[in-house]
Amino acid sequence: MNPSSPSSSPFRRSNSTPNPSQDLFSAPRHATATFRLIYTSTSCLSAFLLFHTAVWWPRHVFGSHPFASTKSCWDLSGSVVTLGFLDTDYDDKNGALKYFFLAQAAYQLHSLCFHMVSMLLLLLYGGGSGRTKDSATRVVASWFRKIWRRPQNQQQQRQQQQLESIRIISMKTSTQSYIRPMVEHVIVLALLMGAYLFSGLRRLGALGIFTLELSSVFLQLLQVCIYAPEKSWWRKPSVVIFVHRFLTIPTFIYCRFFVLPFVVWYSAAFESQEWLEQIEKVFSPGWGERIYTVFNGLLCLIFALNLVLFRRLLFHPHLRQIVKQQREGSQ
């Protein structure tokens, strides 16, 4: 999901006070949001076309099978992918699920590496002004610059100091804003790798991924609007507010606070008992309980992260500023 996507985290903390140097960060954020919007849209469309006719794809997410139910995820003829003779392809979806999970794992791994590189760049080039910059960050950043940067003359050093004075993202704040998405990517990667091994979890996992990324489509659309060029139609306050209030928030609530807990999580918690008993017979006693605990525990963490993200979605500083601008313009 933007479980996302499992895709990923759409918002970053930023100073709520206007700053001209904010434009320096809008272009890369706009480009990143555009890429994620394209990816999540393509992923959702692919999942829908591949799986919407499956018996385990419920109507809550636009399934078309007349007897669709998440109970069908736990067909006892499916078992473990590493034991091919036990993992019967009872619905002819194993091939599609294989490539779907491969694409999802690649995206999550890419996003995790992207966040790690971004944090390193913030360590090197980020930070507040000389007065507000964290001392530990200043020491570490100085150490990296001595290693990787060429010697500078006095004029270049003065120019560098001037650039430092207009930095608007402190390392402390930026690092905190990257912690949640990085944790989310790690959790989703663990879910993807674990879910793919087992037929029931594989199908329920695909359903959960689609649910999270359907919400992420509109989260990324909101990001595209917020960080669009200043004079762009997408940047208009009326457009941003419409996307936020009538597209992003409703889909977020439906997908992440209804489908995820009451369809996906419910199925994992209460409809998987016979399948787990079979897993214990294949391996050894206690395996079913471990799988049950780990998978449901990770779903619980994703739901908790969604609560944090929803709070930021409601009180995002850029949105407050846009609403304020619209009110001032109407007056």
Side-chain angles (χ1 to χ4, degrees):
M1 126 172 326
N2 184 108
S4 106
S5 256
S7 57
S8 120
S9 71
F11 293 124
R12 300 282 179 269
R13 290 181 183 175
S14 61
N15 296 337
S16 58
T17 57
N19 194 308
S21 57
Q22 182 73 30
D23 294 337
L24 295 173
F25 299 91
S26 294
R29 288 178 177 178
H30 179 71
T32 302
T34 301
F35 166 75
R36 289 175 176 168
L37 175 62
I38 295 172
Y39 172 80
T40 53
S41 301
T42 303
S43 177
C44 284
L45 182 61
S46 300
F48 175 77
L49 294 176
L50 289 171
F51 308 128
H52 78 281
T53 58
V55 68
W56 44 269
W57 195 267
R59 300 202 173 187
H60 302 92
V61 286
F62 319 113
S64 59
H65 195 283
F67 305 106
S69 172
T70 52
K71 290 182 179 180
S72 302
C73 291
W74 312 103
D75 193 293
L76 298 181
S77 62
S79 183
V80 187
V81 70
T82 54
L83 304 176
F85 61 94
L86 291 177
D87 190 26
T88 304
D89 191 5
Y90 57 87
D91 57 0
D92 298 323
K93 298 297 182 183
N94 274 353
L97 284 165
K98 174 182 178 180
Y99 291 105
F100 181 72
F101 269 76
L102 180 62
Q104 292 296 327
Y107 172 75
Q108 294 296 331
L109 185 60
H110 160 267
S111 297
L112 181 61
C113 294
F114 176 83
H115 281 97
M116 293 174 65
V117 172
S118 298
M119 289 185 66
L120 179 60
L121 291 176
L122 284 170
L123 182 66
L124 294 173
Y125 302 105
S129 63
R131 295 181 180 178
T132 61
K133 194 172 182 182
D134 180 76
S135 58
T137 301
R138 186 166 60 249
V139 171
V140 177
S142 176
W143 181 73
F144 273 108
R145 291 185 184 112
K146 288 180 180 179
I147 295 177
W148 288 351
R149 289 189 178 182
R150 296 178 179 178
Q152 297 178 332
N153 56 37
Q154 293 183 354
Q155 183 179 0
Q156 290 176 329
Q157 290 178 355
R158 285 196 298 269
Q159 292 176 351
Q160 180 62 33
Q161 290 174 357
Q162 292 175 356
L163 289 175
E164 288 286 345
S165 65
I166 64 171
R167 304 297 188 189
I168 63 169
I169 300 180
S170 69
M171 185 60 195
K172 181 179 178 180
T173 302
S174 300
T175 302
Q176 290 174 350
S177 70
Y178 276 98
I179 290 176
R180 188 195 59 80
M182 288 186 66
V183 171
E184 185 174 340
H185 288 311
V186 172
I187 293 173
V188 173
L189 271 173
L191 278 172
L192 287 171
M193 292 187 291
Y196 181 73
L197 295 176
F198 304 95
S199 62
L201 296 178
R202 195 182 315 147
R203 285 154 174 80
L204 192 68
L207 180 61
I209 291 169
F210 174 83
T211 301
L212 291 172
E213 292 204 335
L214 181 60
S215 170
S216 295
V217 169
F218 296 99
L219 287 169
Q220 300 306 327
L221 178 61
L222 180 61
Q223 280 284 83
V224 169
C225 294
I226 289 175
Y227 295 113
E230 189 68 34
K231 296 183 180 180
S232 172
W233 179 83
W234 297 98
R235 189 74 174 267
K236 290 183 177 180
S238 58
V239 175
V240 176
I241 292 173
F242 176 83
V243 171
H244 176 252
R245 293 180 179 176
F246 299 102
L247 295 178
T248 306
I249 289 181
T251 54
F252 191 99
I253 293 174
Y254 178 77
C255 292
R256 304 197 181 209
F257 293 152
F258 173 70
V259 177
L260 184 65
F262 295 108
V263 178
V264 177
W265 198 356
Y266 176 86
S267 180
F270 300 105
E271 296 177 349
S272 60
Q273 299 303 318
E274 293 184 6
W275 181 85
L276 290 170
E277 292 175 3
Q278 177 174 278
I279 290 295
E280 290 198 346
K281 293 178 182 178
V282 172
F283 292 98
S284 62
W287 267 89
E289 183 178 353
R290 294 169 191 164
I291 294 172
Y292 180 89
T293 302
V294 171
F295 192 79
N296 283 278
L298 291 175
L299 285 176
C300 181
L301 286 176
I302 289 179
F303 186 76
L305 290 172
N306 285 334
L307 291 174
V308 176
L309 178 57
F310 185 62
R311 181 181 179 278
R312 295 183 181 178
L313 178 62
L314 292 177
F315 303 105
H316 194 268
H318 285 293
L319 293 171
R320 289 181 177 181
Q321 185 178 346
I322 290 171
V323 171
K324 182 179 179 181
Q325 290 176 354
Q326 188 187 44
R327 290 175 178 174
E328 291 176 353
S330 61
Q331 292 176 356

